[in-house]
Amino acid sequence: MTKLTLSMDEKVVAQAKRIARRKRTSVSAMFTNLVLVMAAREREKADIPPDSIAARLTGAIKAPPGKTDRQLVTEALEERYGAGGR
């Protein structure tokens, strides 16, 4: 594992430490997860042609808290075509 030194405002460091403590993790683990999520989103966006309507609409709406993209799609399909194979 490689060590990384970051510079940031003291208030941000204090907030990061509080959040990490509440989530029972480390600031390093939180930063790692943040970078991994951002990298995954970049890969997803790379799969969308930049001139497509999907690219223009990406990020236009936010999913409700506690709902995954898959759940939203499933609900929309069930609403459109009736309750599916559950």
Side-chain angles (χ1 to χ4, degrees):
M1 191 167 295
T2 302
K3 190 169 188 160
L4 171 68
T5 302
L6 301 172
S7 298
M8 60 186 74
D9 187 87
E10 291 176 27
K11 290 179 182 179
V12 175
V13 172
Q15 287 176 329
K17 288 180 178 181
R18 275 194 301 276
I19 293 167
R21 203 172 22 256
R22 276 198 313 267
K23 296 193 175 286
R24 294 190 168 107
T25 190
S26 67
V27 174
S28 292
M30 284 190 342
F31 184 75
T32 298
N33 287 333
L34 171 68
V35 171
L36 292 173
V37 167
M38 291 176 74
R41 286 184 179 165
E42 280 187 9
R43 281 192 303 276
E44 287 173 5
K45 287 181 181 179
D47 294 340
I48 300 172
D51 58 345
S52 69
I53 191 167
R56 290 193 302 273
L57 293 174
T58 298
I61 22 180
K62 299 287 181 206
K67 294 272 187 172
T68 65
D69 292 345
R70 185 179 193 105
Q71 288 171 321
L72 292 172
V73 170
T74 300
E75 289 173 8
L77 290 172
E78 287 175 348
E79 184 178 315
R80 172 83 169 127
Y81 298 107
R86 283 189 186 201

